[in-house]
Amino acid sequence: TLAVMFFAQMVAMIGFSSIFPFLPLYIQSLGTVSGLSVELCTGLVFSGQAFSMMIAAPIWGALADRWGRKLMVERALFGGAVILGLMALVRSAEELVLLRMIQGLVSGVLSATNALVAAAVPRERSGFAMGLMQVAMGLGLGLGPVIGGVVADAYGYRAAFYITAALLVMAGGVVFCGVEEQFA
């Protein structure tokens, strides 16, 4: 479980962070339809996701306690994949802001993966396991922007969203097939 979750968290962080280098440029290329400035929409794209995640996180945590942690990891990965795929199809910066806010409501991969790992490893190994999950996060956050920048440069902004969505589907599939949760 720890190895699978390490991989899933790393891939998820690569995917989610791969859009960071070009997101302001993508917003600028989309333009706005409501008269909001591109700068304001850029700020909303980044902060809207964080605020909506802040609201949803306790709800997802409670559902994890009730229905299982693996299910919440799968929800976050597959839901994030759908939302990121849709981000490639937006026509305006406002639509992107809305999808980023929905992404915050739907995703929450970090807390879900950490909760699953914490529940799966023996208590005496929890410090090591949480440390490995931090390594996976840091590795993904370090590699993601480079990969996203290369893909966006070579194939365009929208292609980077599709590749990110595919990465999240792959990570979700690995969790679905590779994790056995003993949930009671």
Side-chain angles (χ1 to χ4, degrees):
T1 297
L2 181 58
V4 170
M5 296 314 301
F6 178 92
F7 176 78
Q9 181 143 301
M10 181 190 66
V11 170
M13 291 302 100
I14 288 171
F16 284 123
S17 67
S18 68
I19 64 173
F20 292 166
F22 63 84
L23 206 49
L25 300 171
Y26 185 49
I27 294 165
Q28 189 173 28
S29 73
L30 291 169
T32 66
V33 294
S34 65
L36 294 174
S37 71
V38 169
E39 295 82 6
L40 176 60
C41 286
T42 301
L44 291 173
V45 157
F46 282 100
S47 64
Q49 184 262 348
F51 282 121
S52 62
M53 186 180 294
M54 175 188 68
I55 293 166
I59 297 166
W60 291 125
L63 290 173
D65 291 339
R66 184 172 194 162
W67 299 103
R69 288 145 186 89
K70 178 182 174 184
L71 182 62
M72 291 302 109
V73 172
E74 292 166 348
R75 179 246 337 133
L77 291 170
F78 291 130
V82 169
I83 299 301
L84 280 155
L86 291 173
M87 286 182 195
L89 305 174
V90 297
R91 297 164 296 181
S92 70
E94 292 85 357
E95 288 178 5
L96 187 61
V97 168
L98 178 62
L99 282 176
R100 285 280 290 175
M101 292 178 78
I102 294 170
Q103 178 191 355
L105 293 173
V106 170
S107 62
V109 171
L110 285 174
S111 57
T113 56
N114 287 336
L116 179 58
V117 168
V121 300
R123 185 174 298 276
E124 65 273 6
R125 302 293 290 162
S126 63
F128 173 75
M130 290 298 106
L132 275 182
M133 296 307 287
Q134 286 296 114
V135 170
M137 182 186 73
L139 188 58
L141 290 174
L143 292 173
V146 173
I147 293 169
V150 168
V151 169
D153 185 47
Y155 303 106
Y157 302 139
R158 294 181 192 273
F161 285 102
Y162 291 130
I163 288 175
T164 295
L167 286 172
L168 293 176
V169 167
M170 179 183 67
V174 168
V175 170
F176 180 79
C177 295
V179 172
E180 288 289 328
E181 182 182 23
Q182 304 301 321
F183 183 76

